[in-house]
Amino acid sequence: DADVTQTPRNRITKTGKRIMLECSQTKGHDRMYWYRQDPGLGLRLIYYSFDVKDINKGEISDGYSVSRQAQAKFSLSLESAIPNQTALYFCATSESLAGGVDEQFFGPGTRLTVL
Amino acid sequence: QQPVQSPQAVILREGEDAVINCSSSKALYSVHWYRQKHGEAPVFLMILLKGGEQKGHEKISASFNEKKQQSSLYLTASQLSYSGTYFCGTGGGFGNEKLTFGTGTRLTIIP
């Protein structure tokens, strides 16, 4: 079984709809991240969490919200989806590393299309 | 601010060598390298830390020049399996425990 799973893997939705992307991990890591990937722009950080009570905005958090329901679960929500949120979304996890960033393990990605 | 990677794309024949560069406008604490094959998730290659420490799983060579705020990834005797997009990520240090990724270098290896 995969260590980091994402659901759904593909989603097509309409402008204005609320949508949730889910991420689960069995690696026992404290840190979890949500990234967005667009062609030519690389991976951009949306939100990250160091534990259930510690959630931080990344560089492109506008239009998104997150919930860390448990150590193993980190969900990303689009409250009112818009077409320019069409992208490939990755969840990642890592061990805690004081003052640093450890190796990140990525989920398989969710391809989201907003019409 | 995203680190800058160069080149943006490169095509090599099997057995040839490649160097991928990553430059930052900010002082570097650590540099991460990941490879992403088409349609797949990024996979960790290595971390280089200020002070010289390195961590990696593959036989890949890289350098980290703190003064120049640059890192380079060296792919020698390239194999078909090296094809993919390579990303560097910079970050680390207290209060900055997250990565900012570059826009990637697409490497294509042809037989």
Side-chain angles (χ1 to χ4, degrees), chain A residues 37 41 99 101-104 107, chain B residues 32 34 36 41 55 57 93 97:
Chain A
Q37 186 172 36
L41 295 179
V101 185
D102 205 353
E103 170 184 358
Q104 296 191 2
Chain B
H32 292 221
Y34 289 78
Q36 183 180 28
K55 171 185 172 181
H57 298 306
E97 289 144 317

Side-chain angles (χ1 to χ4, degrees), chain A residues 2 4 6-7 11-12 22 25 33 36 51 56 58 61-62 66-67 77-79 89 100 105-107 110 114:
Chain A
V4 184
Q6 293 183 233
T7 55
R11 180 73 183 267
I12 300 173
E22 298 187 338
Q25 53 114 348
Y33 309 82
R36 168 180 172 157
D51 66 40
N56 306 279
S61 59
D62 287 349
V66 291
S67 173
S77 293
L78 287 68
E79 297 301 326
Y89 291 84
F105 296 83
F106 285 80
T110 294
V114 183

Side-chain angles (χ1 to χ4, degrees), chain B residues 24-110:
Chain B
S24 175
S25 59
K26 297 182 178 181
L28 293 176
Y29 179 87
S30 68
V31 178
H32 292 221
W33 286 97
Y34 289 78
R35 177 172 60 213
Q36 183 180 28
K37 293 186 177 288
H38 183 68
E40 299 181 7
V43 173
F44 171 79
L45 295 176
M46 75 186 318
I47 299 173
L48 301 100
L49 293 167
K50 186 176 177 179
E53 189 177 343
Q54 296 187 3
K55 171 185 172 181
H57 298 306
E58 295 195 15
K59 294 180 181 177
I60 285 179
S61 170
S63 65
F64 181 14
N65 188 320
E66 294 175 38
K67 271 191 176 178
K68 291 186 177 179
Q69 297 169 186
Q70 292 176 346
S71 176
S72 295
L73 186 69
Y74 304 97
L75 302 168
T76 57
S78 57
Q79 304 169 19
L80 292 175
S81 63
Y82 288 5
S83 289
T85 300
Y86 290 77
F87 293 99
C88 71
T90 60
F94 287 98
N96 188 39
E97 289 144 317
K98 62 186 186 296
L99 293 180
T100 302
F101 284 94
T103 54
T105 295
R106 178 176 290 184
L107 175 65
T108 303
I109 309 295
I110 56 177

